[in-house]
Amino acid sequence: MRRVNGLATVGRALTCGGAVEKRLAQAALMSTCSSSSSNSHIFSQKLADRLGLSRPSLVRRVAGTMLFSVAASSMAQDALAKEKPRSEKFLPKEVVLYQYEACPFCNKVKAFLDYYSIPYKIVEVNPISKKEIKWSDYKKVPILKVDGEQMVDSSDIIDKLFHRINPDSSIRDGEEKKWREWVDNHLVHVLSPNIYRSTSEALESFDYITTHGNFSFTERLVAKYAGAAAMYFVSKKLKKKHNITDERAALYEAAETWVDALNGRHYLGGSKPNLADLAVFGVLRPIRYLTSGKDMVEHTRIGEWYGRMENAVGESARIKE
């Protein structure tokens, strides 16, 4: 009976969270050390007395199980977030995204496609001639073609795809909708004043844009220097238009606002990213390794969430030609 009660004690302890779980993991590590260690033997005996177990050897076996359980629980959480929901009702033959590589709205759509493992092709649109989308009456990006059907506007594209993947589900609660709108109406407007904040940052941004974009050699040179100069001045107008006094402070505040919205959760969606998580991640992804993005991660709490999102979204589903 004493042995059963002791195991029950371990079981109840294992179901606790936070600091208790950490202590259990530590106990498991210590008690599964080599049996020739006198410290391990003493520790096992003390833990046996504490838990009401009759033999230290039983403690070592139980503790080993506890360690496995703690590790398995952590791995299960990661796997749950990385799981890609699939639908046999949505198996498109061809998905083509017309985009600018650095466009935040295009990157929202890509984050969704990557997370749901929907293979897609990319057509990089030349922002000067836009010849790649002359076939369309809609002259902005992103444009998504799904088996020939044209979809436009990043949020509408994502809504339509979500319904096709989850035909029996509706777009979720008000919290998710609120933060998706916050991305479109606030977060994206903070980005341009930051990536073009100084002449050096404007050149850095246009170096990325022209390297990844669809430009001829001549267009690349013109766009990098003329574009950087133009956007440096445009960013000052955007700063005034959106009542931004300090670019970095506005970016940091937005990042902290998002982390506060998580309220201790791994994702706004709980154990898995929802559409708001994917939207925030998508628009931040182009700036993450620019100076502004590095500063944001260094000076705010957003880095841990961003790292989890990188793992959850996983590898790009893009079909490289």
Side-chain angles (χ1 to χ4, degrees):
M1 180 62 70
R2 189 180 183 190
R3 176 176 174 176
V4 172
N5 290 339
L7 287 171
T9 301
V10 173
R12 287 193 298 272
L14 187 58
T15 61
C16 296
V20 173
E21 186 173 354
K22 292 178 182 177
R23 288 196 296 271
L24 288 173
Q26 291 169 352
L29 284 168
M30 292 179 67
S31 62
T32 51
C33 293
S34 170
S35 60
S36 63
S37 168
S38 60
N39 288 336
S40 175
H41 177 77
I42 293 170
F43 177 83
S44 298
Q45 182 62 61
K46 288 182 177 179
L47 187 60
D49 294 339
R50 181 69 177 272
L51 296 177
L53 295 173
S54 59
R55 296 194 306 277
S57 60
L58 179 59
V59 172
R60 286 191 288 270
R61 290 198 297 272
V62 171
T65 302
M66 289 158 54
L67 178 61
F68 174 81
S69 299
V70 171
S73 175
S74 177
M75 292 172 64
Q77 286 182 350
D78 289 344
L80 183 62
K82 292 178 183 178
E83 178 186 349
K84 305 297 191 297
R86 300 182 183 277
S87 172
E88 293 182 357
K89 297 181 181 180
F90 184 65
L91 296 171
K93 295 179 181 178
E94 184 178 54
V95 177
V96 183
L97 177 64
Y98 295 80
Q99 65 148 31
Y100 304 145
E101 179 64 29
C103 164
F105 298 106
C106 301
N107 277 277
K108 272 175 57 182
V109 175
K110 285 196 290 187
F112 181 93
L113 295 172
D114 292 339
Y115 177 69
Y116 282 95
S117 297
I118 300 172
Y120 60 95
K121 297 178 182 178
I122 288 287
V123 174
E124 190 68 26
V125 175
N126 184 305
I128 299 172
S129 67
K130 297 187 178 181
K131 61 182 182 294
E132 293 79 10
I133 55 174
K134 282 186 176 179
W135 55 269
S136 174
D137 292 333
Y138 189 79
K139 298 305 179 184
K140 299 179 181 180
V141 292
I143 298 173
L144 192 73
K145 287 181 73 174
V146 180
D147 292 337
E149 177 189 354
Q150 175 180 287
M151 299 181 185
V152 299
D153 185 276
S154 61
S155 293
D156 287 344
I157 290 170
I158 289 168
D159 287 346
K160 288 177 180 177
L161 293 178
F162 179 84
H163 284 304
R164 295 186 186 188
I165 294 169
N166 305 280
D168 299 323
S169 300
S170 59
I171 299 297
R172 309 199 192 81
D173 58 35
E175 182 186 44
E176 183 179 34
K177 180 181 179 182
K178 169 189 171 182
W179 289 103
R180 290 180 69 195
E181 291 176 350
W182 175 80
V183 171
D184 292 345
N185 299 327
H186 178 72
L187 181 58
V188 292
H189 299 306
V190 173
L191 302 183
S192 290
N194 273 277
I195 65 175
Y196 306 122
R197 182 179 66 148
S198 64
T199 53
S200 62
E201 287 185 79
L203 281 170
E204 177 192 41
S205 299
F206 264 85
D207 185 56
Y208 173 83
I209 290 168
T210 55
T211 300
H212 293 82
N214 182 9
F215 296 91
S216 67
F217 177 76
T218 303
E219 287 174 339
R220 185 176 297 121
L221 289 176
V222 172
K224 178 176 178 178
Y225 293 99
M231 287 308 300
Y232 170 76
F233 292 105
V234 168
S235 70
K236 304 309 174 188
K237 293 183 178 180
L238 292 173
K239 178 180 172 180
K240 184 177 180 180
K241 178 181 178 180
H242 297 291
N243 299 314
I244 297 172
T245 55
D246 183 316
E247 300 95 334
R248 282 296 193 270
L251 179 62
Y252 299 163
E253 181 182 4
E256 292 290 350
T257 297
W258 173 247
V259 175
D260 287 341
L262 298 176
N263 195 26
R265 294 169 288 184
H266 276 84
Y267 309 98
L268 193 76
S271 60
K272 294 181 181 180
N274 65 14
L275 297 183
D277 287 291
L278 292 171
V280 176
F281 176 74
V283 302
L284 291 180
R285 190 153 57 168
I287 78 160
R288 169 61 184 90
Y289 296 101
L290 298 178
T291 299
S292 53
K294 292 175 182 176
D295 287 349
M296 175 188 68
V297 169
E298 181 180 352
H299 295 287
T300 73
R301 298 169 292 155
I302 203 169
E304 289 188 11
W305 169 85
Y306 191 93
R308 287 193 294 269
M309 284 299 300
E310 284 187 314
N311 290 331
V313 171
E315 296 293 325
S316 173
R318 176 181 178 177
I319 301 170
K320 295 184 179 180
E321 300 178 292

